[in-house]
Amino acid sequence: MLENMNEKDFYKWFGKEFQGLREKRGLKQKDVADIAGIASTELSRFENTGKKISAYKILRLLKAIESSMEEILGETEKKTYSHD
């Protein structure tokens, strides 16, 4: 799925996925923004319009809702790698 998205579509999708996880956890937008140390207006634009934000802010937001990139991407299963 991601391989077919351009950057703008990715941020729109990611913002909505993040919002869904935040709401599923019962967290308010303002509270998450405060924990992450970003403006609530910036979080609102990210969730509602897919406004691009930095990787650093994304990581802070994910930490604030106790989530990860793997969870957002639906890759929460542990992967094993073989070392040949």
Side-chain angles (χ1 to χ4, degrees):
M1 175 166 105
L2 292 175
E3 57 274 357
N4 297 323
M5 284 188 198
N6 62 33
E7 188 176 22
K8 184 177 178 182
D9 290 340
F10 169 78
Y11 278 99
K12 283 183 182 180
W13 171 82
F14 192 86
K16 288 298 177 193
E17 290 295 313
F18 179 85
Q19 181 180 20
L21 277 177
R22 176 184 59 75
E23 290 173 348
K24 182 179 176 183
R25 287 172 164 79
L27 300 169
K28 294 182 180 181
Q29 201 175 58
K30 182 179 179 346
D31 295 336
V32 170
D34 288 346
I35 293 166
I38 69 168
S40 58
T41 54
E42 186 173 18
L43 176 53
S44 177
R45 285 191 300 266
F46 171 64
E47 288 184 349
N48 295 309
T49 68
K51 181 169 181 357
K52 183 177 177 180
I53 61 173
S54 72
Y56 174 75
K57 289 178 181 178
I58 287 173
L59 292 174
R60 292 192 54 95
L61 287 168
L62 288 170
K63 186 172 182 175
I65 67 167
E66 297 181 1
S67 187
S68 65
M69 286 298 290
E70 290 83 5
E71 185 175 8
I72 293 274
L73 297 173
E75 299 175 358
T76 54
E77 293 180 14
K78 290 258 183 201
K79 295 181 181 177
T80 57
Y81 297 95
S82 63
H83 299 284
D84 297 320

